Amino acid sequence: MKIIVLVKQVPDTETNIKVGDKSINEAGIKWIISPYDEFAIEEGLRLREKNGGEVIAVSLGPDRVQESLRQAYAMGADRAVQIKVDNYVPFDTVLTAELIANFAKAENADIIIGGRQSIDSDSSQVVIQVAEGLGIAHISFAVSLEISGTSVKATKEVEGGTQVVETSLPVAITAQKGLNEPRYPNLKGLMAAKKKPIETKTPADLGNPASKIEVVGLEPPPPRIPGRKLEAADAKGYAEQLVKALREEAKVI
Amino acid sequence: MSNVLIVGELKNGELKKISKEITSAGRKIADALGGKVTALLIGSGVEKFAGDLGAVGADSVVTVNAGDFNAETWANLVAGVIKEKNPSVVLVPHTSQGKDYSPRVAVKVGAGIIADAVGLSVDGGKVVAKKPIYSGKAYGNFKVTSPIAIFTVRPNSQEVVQKAGAGAAEAASPSAGDAKVKIVSSDLSGGNKVQLAEASIIVSGGRGIKGPENWPILQGLADILGAALGASRAAVDAGWISHSHQVGQTGKTVSPNCYIACGISGAIQHLAGMGSSKYIVAINKDGDAPIFKVATYGVVGDLFEVVPALTDEFKKVLG
């Protein structure tokens, strides 16, 4: 079983974001694997442990993404592939998906698994676009997954609850929180990961897809409505003030 | 001609508010580009909503008779209508359904796509979509350069404007194709509650509610307000409520008009999910809690006293 796990490198949640003209200022940013992709890596490793095969971690971007690939190695990935795009635009989902789909096709992958969204672009697009590009099934927001032979059974989160779905390999999956608890790499794994090779592919190797979006510009978030702490003698006083504020000032209730 | 297609969404046979929101947004775009707005509704008996969408700006409403939602067949149906109508702009709800089929549609019709737009404007004959990025710590403006541009639009981000279009209904029957994924069973027991991601008011609880036995205090307030019940990661990880209620980086991103945070300290991961709420009320005993930095109205007090008093007060004015 050949399992491709998608590893997107994103700024750590706690990092301050300084907005440049068309991208962020990367100076001083701490980079992490997008949290949902950690569920994807973990699930890939568990599927391999149960069914055999290999886990290939793939990340798009400049050379800094190799750090995230080494972390995937430390968790237990068998191979790591950087799709080297030096001026990578993290919001360009169609281009990203086409590169990954072409890679997955060349590898003849059985399973492609990524997080339900990345925390930089929040698009929830790439994995399902890969599925469409390959003409294979997809299961989004998976909270449980069982694969035996070529049959796939999963529980997915839907609006208002969950659904149990079935399909067969090959399949693309997006991982939702609850699917598993990602393991921490141990020191030995981290040391070994430093020496493992990282394969590199270029867009030219993968069909040179064209971008379909243009970044017009980035800007800081809009200012919030100025806030204030209310003063009252007791709970009833607070309640009266809040109701008045929400109904007469904010006019939201 | 730059025509706009919006894809409506239904729930339990009723039109969702997001359908009207994106019809109005589509109307504004079409007026700026000099085109028509077509609304697409998929489901059974959906013709009856043509007038509702006409009233908020749809020139025509295409209806497709179909059974339950399946991302693959929906993608085929939507792509079929796009190929027939050839719009230059397509608006899709950024809902769990929209997120499930829109990626396939983009690939099928060779379109660029920007997901989770909260602002839509027109510049030089092209739509510019504004969306929060980096957990709301920045905003990006994007254009789509392919002939068809798809945008998924965040619920509650667009105003519903009454503006009469013809709303004439026509039936279409594009091919649904076969789905490779079969739905075996559904558990929609949470289905009749107000949905978190699309709610215009959310009452949310954190570690400060102290235990699962205290949710009824917040639910009481939520019921009076017609609000959805949310929770912070701390409350979910403690096992007090299911993950489907979680707001934040590893939960749902929400943009209600009013977010009432009860006993929530406001970790950065929580702010990532609710920071774009229009008005934020924070009720917390700890006056130094970070939630007060984003709160429009802050109450430093005991939620077990303030929330019931608030419920009583709203009962008086709303009940």
Side-chain angles (χ1 to χ4, degrees), chain B residues 3 12 76 104 109 135 139 142 148 156 177 199 209 238-239 247 261 266 286:
Chain B
N3 291 329
N12 298 333
N76 286 332
R104 284 191 179 268
V109 302
S135 306
Y139 275 57
F142 305 95
I148 301 172
N156 286 324
I209 73 147
V247 172
D286 175 8

Side-chain angles (χ1 to χ4, degrees), chain A residues 23 38 48-50 119 126-127 142 153 171 189-190 225 235:
Chain A
S23 60
E38 291 194 355
R48 180 200 62 194
E49 281 156 10
K50 197 165 157 243
I119 64 161
V126 168
V127 178
K153 191 173 182 182
V171 67
L190 285 166
I225 297 165

Side-chain angles (χ1 to χ4, degrees), chain B residues 203-264:
Chain B
V203 176
S204 208
R207 204 189 301 273
I209 73 147
K210 292 188 175 154
E213 65 281 6
N214 294 321
W215 288 116
I217 297 171
L218 301 196
Q219 188 67 56
L221 177 59
D223 287 345
I224 280 287
L225 299 176
L229 187 65
S232 73
R233 175 176 175 168
V236 172
D237 284 359
W240 298 346
I241 195 164
S242 80
H243 172 248
S244 62
H245 290 272
Q246 186 179 325
V247 172
Q249 187 169 278
T250 47
K252 294 192 167 63
T253 304
V254 298
S255 287
N257 284 326
C258 182
Y259 188 90
I260 304 177
C262 308
I264 291 176

Side-chain angles (χ1 to χ4, degrees), chain B:
Chain B
M1 282 287 271
S2 288
N3 291 329
V4 178
L5 179 78
I6 76 101
V7 188
E9 192 170 313
L10 296 109
K11 180 178 159 66
N12 298 333
E14 293 300 320
L15 195 62
K16 280 190 174 186
K17 185 165 160 266
I18 179 71
S19 306
K20 292 186 183 178
E21 291 167 4
I22 56 175
T23 305
S24 285
R27 180 77 261 163
K28 260 191 0 203
I29 293 167
D31 286 347
L33 295 174
K36 301 263 187 211
V37 178
T38 302
L40 166 61
L41 288 174
I42 303 171
S44 89
V46 293
E47 305 76 25
K48 62 176 182 252
F49 300 115
D52 292 334
L53 295 181
V56 292
D59 294 304
S60 60
V61 180
V62 173
T63 62
V64 174
N65 190 23
D68 289 341
F69 175 79
N70 181 303
E72 282 172 82
T73 51
W74 245 244
N76 286 332
L77 296 171
V78 174
V81 172
I82 290 174
K83 282 174 186 162
E84 195 189 312
K85 297 286 170 187
N86 200 27
S88 48
V89 177
V90 180
L91 304 181
V92 176
H94 193 69
T95 52
S96 60
Q97 285 191 4
K99 285 180 237 181
D100 213 356
Y101 69 79
S102 65
R104 284 191 179 268
V105 174
V107 175
K108 278 179 202 293
V109 302
I113 184 166
I114 296 295
D116 198 19
V118 299
L120 296 161
S121 56
V122 174
D123 173 53
K126 286 270 184 193
V127 173
V128 180
K130 187 186 288 290
K131 65 171 277 175
I133 50 178
Y134 300 106
S135 306
K137 286 184 278 189
Y139 275 57
N141 293 298
F142 305 95
K143 282 184 185 174
V144 173
T145 52
S146 51
I148 301 172
I150 305 182
F151 303 94
T152 74
V153 182
R154 186 183 287 196
N156 286 324
S157 69
Q158 308 298 309
E159 225 183 314
V160 175
V161 180
Q162 300 296 320
K163 182 167 187 184
E170 62 173 285
S173 39
S175 166
D178 292 326
K180 296 178 193 75
V181 174
K182 199 175 95 197
I183 297 161
V184 179
S185 62
S186 298
D187 172 10
L188 303 177
S189 48
N192 292 326
K193 294 271 180 211
V194 183
Q195 286 308 305
L196 202 49
E198 293 158 49
S200 62
I201 306 173
I202 293 171
V203 176
S204 208
R207 204 189 301 273
I209 73 147
K210 292 188 175 154
E213 65 281 6
N214 294 321
W215 288 116
I217 297 171
L218 301 196
Q219 188 67 56
L221 177 59
D223 287 345
I224 280 287
L225 299 176
L229 187 65
S232 73
R233 175 176 175 168
V236 172
D237 284 359
W240 298 346
I241 195 164
S242 80
H243 172 248
S244 62
H245 290 272
Q246 186 179 325
V247 172
Q249 187 169 278
T250 47
K252 294 192 167 63
T253 304
V254 298
S255 287
N257 284 326
C258 182
Y259 188 90
I260 304 177
C262 308
I264 291 176
S265 66
I268 195 154
Q269 290 82 357
H270 191 72
L271 301 183
M274 49 64 80
S276 64
S277 304
K278 196 163 174 201
Y279 289 88
I280 296 170
V281 175
I283 302 167
N284 199 305
K285 273 206 283 203
D286 175 8
D288 295 326
I291 190 81
F292 287 114
K293 287 189 188 140
V294 299
T296 334
Y297 304 114
V299 172
V300 181
D302 185 348
L303 77 91
F304 295 104
E305 293 171 14
V306 177
V307 175
L310 195 53
T311 307
D312 286 344
E313 194 63 26
F314 272 120
K315 266 186 198 158
K316 264 193 239 163
V317 297
L318 300 174

